Amino acid sequence: MKKLGTVIFMGTALMASSAANAAWEWNWLVGATAGYADRSGDLSMGMTDGPAAAVPLGVTEVVKTHNDSGFAWGLLGGLQAHCNGWVFGGELNVDWRDFDDSRGFSFTSASNNVNNAAARFDRGAVVGLSGRVGYEFLPYFMPYVRLGVETSNDELTLAGSDATPFTYGASTDKRTYRLVAGLGAEIPIPSVHGLSFRMEYNHVTKANNSVTLNTTGTDGATLVTAKMNPRTNMGKASLIYNFL
């Protein structure tokens, strides 16, 4: 009986210990991010000469690669849970991306006129919601993956002219939604309790549909259309404070 009691006691102790180790812990967190991003997409443009005339002069189709790159920064907040080295979290972020320069290009229209044009794609403040799953392989190193969605109000501006003279210009905006996938690693900063550092790569897909504009030129008879739907790759660093 003594041996049986000892076995039962040890088994109970081990089970209690395992249960304690498997207990979930959670904490809130806030942080600031900064990084560099590259955005790329095709600007598709069409020009129909003389659609109001009895015999239209022709249709011009132009596709130009439109690349932007620059700095990005933002703020984030979230909640995460820990259990046996695993970390599961949800985060809300707001980002600002400083790359919306105008890009110039030239083309010859169906009416044989050389056009000089410029386009600008401006993405407003980006709001994102994502989930994160990581595993602490070492006390000072946790790789993780991220999956989520982001939204912003995107604006496409187009302007151009030829020597006849003929000019056109328009701007349109639209709210778009995009998927975000990321890989990263988090490292605690030992000198400050609750503080950690992240390095992360994000890929942002094309939006659910293009930002499209339509305008009429100064002759009142030429229809100009344009659309754009870029994707983004971004590397960023974050400083995170965990409320432990």
Side-chain angles (χ1 to χ4, degrees):
M1 288 294 290
K2 252 185 176 181
K3 288 184 179 179
L4 181 59
T6 302
V7 170
I8 292 173
F9 174 77
M10 291 182 67
T12 304
L14 285 171
M15 288 177 65
S17 175
S18 297
N21 289 334
W24 287 88
E25 297 180 350
W26 64 272
N27 68 273
W28 296 99
L29 60 89
V30 295
T33 67
Y36 192 81
D38 176 78
R39 187 172 64 200
S40 179
D42 285 338
L43 172 72
S44 299
M45 179 180 169
M47 178 182 289
T48 304
D49 291 323
V55 182
L57 297 176
V59 177
T60 306
E61 294 184 357
V62 180
V63 177
K64 295 290 184 179
T65 300
H66 191 107
N67 292 323
D68 281 315
S69 60
F71 292 100
W73 59 92
L75 301 171
L76 65 88
L79 177 68
Q80 64 185 14
H82 310 252
C83 183
N84 286 344
W86 288 95
V87 175
F88 302 88
E91 295 177 359
L92 180 69
N93 66 282
V94 181
D95 290 348
W96 295 269
R97 299 169 186 175
D98 186 23
F99 39 97
D100 56 1
D101 293 337
S102 181
R103 294 286 186 266
F105 58 96
S106 298
F107 65 94
T108 301
S109 69
S111 55
N112 206 32
N113 290 314
V114 176
N115 279 249
N116 294 307
R120 183 173 67 90
F121 189 87
D122 183 18
R123 181 156 280 168
V126 177
V127 178
L129 180 64
S130 62
R132 192 173 72 111
V133 179
Y135 185 75
E136 296 175 342
F137 283 99
L138 297 168
Y140 50 83
F141 180 74
M142 184 187 74
Y144 60 86
V145 296
R146 182 185 302 282
L147 187 63
V149 64
E150 67 174 33
T151 181
S152 62
N153 191 61
D154 299 345
E155 181 180 44
L156 176 61
T157 303
L158 175 72
S161 65
D162 66 21
T164 53
F166 165 71
T167 63
Y168 50 90
S171 180
T172 188
D173 64 283
K174 179 180 186 179
R175 179 156 296 278
T176 63
Y177 298 85
R178 306 167 294 277
L179 294 177
V180 181
L183 292 172
E186 185 166 352
I187 302 169
I189 298 176
S191 56
V192 181
H193 181 67
L195 197 63
S196 62
F197 176 75
R198 293 180 189 172
M199 291 292 291
E200 185 172 336
Y201 162 78
N202 284 168
H203 174 73
V204 183
T205 65
K206 291 184 177 181
N208 52 331
N209 46 18
S210 302
V211 180
T212 303
L213 64 80
N214 297 278
T215 186
T216 303
T218 50
D219 63 356
T222 300
L223 176 66
V224 180
T225 65
K227 62 181 180 179
M228 190 172 171
N229 193 1
R231 59 171 59 88
T232 305
N233 292 293
M234 178 165 54
K236 59 183 179 180
S238 304
L239 197 60
I240 307 296
Y241 184 77
N242 297 278
F243 294 92
L244 301 174

